Amino acid sequence: NWSRLREDWRKIEEESLHLVAPVWNGGTRGIGGLSRVVAPEGNQKKGRSLLQFLADRFYDVEALRDHLLRKRVSKVHQKNRPFNHINQRYGPYVAGAYFILKQGGAVRFQGREWIRPNQRGHFSLDFLKLQAVPVEAVDASGCAINYQGLDSLLALKELQSLWLQRCPHVDDWCLSRLHPLASSLQELSLAGCPRVSERGLACLHHLWNLRRLDISDLPAVSSPGLTRILVEEMLPSCEVLGADWAQGLKLGPEEQPRDTAGPIPA
């Protein structure tokens, strides 16, 4: 109905999604073409024109949602494509660094300073000369790396530090793929990854050289305190950060907090 459609469109505008609406004869038409449809005066009139545009090209709200979901998945897939031509010409170190920088992350070659993109996402290409210099640290915090995109990182055989903080697409399957870095990886941060659960953390047992692991703020982990204890037993040489041992554990009757305030004397 119209009320649901208005509400969904308001959410779409808030998320600043770039919508490309399908025409049902098989072609596509960009929403940028609305300049010919939307009247220039007044937000209300503009809103009605947008709603009419959507209503003319989508059967219902579910069709719109399905289309937006496909666009999101396609965008993530595009971001995680491998740069095979760079790998062939410059080698895996440069190709891996280029992949991370294009994602908006940062890299550090061995013995060098950190390389980061600027606010516009631009970065210097001087690192193309470092074909023989290993990448020792990657900061991919907040990047859209997924299972496919890990291919560009697993080729960095000398990688020592990897930050995957707040990566929305890093899940248990991704963690199961990190075993090629077992001999080199010493520091790993998974803080704030919404799709990492106890099953994924159990896959880290093969990272025998790990010395520091951050598992703080993992909403998919039901018992953070107990999980930390199990991870510490699994990786005895690793410092595990991010969860108090009692967090998520139920207290017994004798451990329940009590009201220590006494009665007010008469």
Side-chain angles (χ1 to χ4, degrees):
N1 54 43
W2 280 107
S3 61
R4 289 183 59 192
L5 187 55
R6 289 192 184 96
E7 180 65 20
D8 276 33
W9 177 246
R10 186 174 63 81
K11 293 179 180 178
I12 294 167
E13 286 184 319
E14 290 174 356
E15 296 176 3
S16 300
L17 292 174
H18 178 70
L19 174 64
V20 179
V23 178
W24 298 114
N25 60 8
T28 57
R29 180 179 180 182
I31 198 169
L34 282 176
S35 58
R36 298 186 302 271
V37 180
V38 179
E41 62 272 9
N43 290 334
Q44 293 183 351
K45 194 169 184 179
K46 180 178 179 180
R48 287 196 299 270
S49 300
L50 289 172
L51 290 174
Q52 187 62 48
F53 176 85
L54 294 174
D56 291 342
R57 286 158 178 80
F58 290 94
Y59 294 125
D60 53 27
V61 174
E62 295 302 323
L64 174 60
R65 288 175 175 171
D66 183 62
H67 172 70
L68 294 177
L69 178 60
R70 290 198 305 268
K71 292 294 293 183
R72 286 180 177 178
V73 172
S74 177
K75 185 176 181 180
V76 172
H77 180 77
Q78 182 71 11
K79 281 189 173 183
N80 283 275
R81 71 192 189 281
F83 295 97
N84 294 326
H85 60 291
I86 296 180
N87 192 5
Q88 293 172 2
R89 182 170 180 179
Y90 297 100
Y93 301 147
V94 171
Y98 188 81
F99 169 78
I100 292 298
L101 291 169
K102 289 290 288 184
Q103 287 260 2
V107 298
R108 188 178 69 220
F109 286 82
Q110 198 172 79
R112 309 283 175 149
E113 298 293 331
W114 280 96
I115 304 174
R116 301 179 183 274
N118 60 23
Q119 294 181 349
R120 296 184 177 182
H122 300 156
F123 49 87
S124 172
L125 295 178
D126 291 343
F127 68 93
L128 296 179
K129 305 174 184 177
L130 306 177
Q131 298 99 312
V133 181
V135 175
E136 64 179 9
V138 166
D139 183 0
S141 301
C143 294
I145 294 176
N146 64 4
Y147 187 89
Q148 175 194 5
L150 284 179
D151 288 338
S152 298
L153 295 182
L154 299 181
L156 307 177
K157 300 300 183 182
E158 290 83 4
L159 187 64
Q160 298 179 13
S161 301
L162 176 59
W163 288 275
L164 297 173
Q165 298 173 166
R166 305 180 306 280
C167 289
H169 305 292
V170 170
D171 56 13
D172 296 341
W173 290 104
C174 291
L175 301 190
S176 69
R177 295 198 63 197
L178 295 181
H179 58 87
L181 302 176
S183 62
S184 66
L185 197 62
Q186 300 179 21
E187 184 176 5
L188 175 64
S189 177
L190 303 170
C193 292
R195 298 188 180 186
V196 170
S197 72
E198 296 90 341
R199 293 183 178 181
L201 296 177
C203 297
L204 301 180
H205 66 89
H206 46 66
L207 299 180
W208 53 269
N209 204 30
L210 207 61
R211 296 295 178 265
R212 186 181 179 90
L213 174 64
D214 190 347
I215 57 173
S216 60
D217 190 23
L218 300 179
V221 174
S222 56
S223 299
L226 178 59
T227 299
R228 175 178 173 176
I229 294 174
L230 296 176
V231 172
E232 288 176 337
E233 293 182 355
M234 182 179 68
L235 298 170
S237 301
C238 180
E239 178 186 8
V240 182
L241 306 176
D244 182 76
W245 71 269
Q247 186 178 352
L249 300 178
K250 292 183 178 180
L251 300 178
E254 67 281 358
E255 298 173 310
Q256 294 290 340
R258 298 179 181 178
D259 186 4
T260 57
I264 300 176

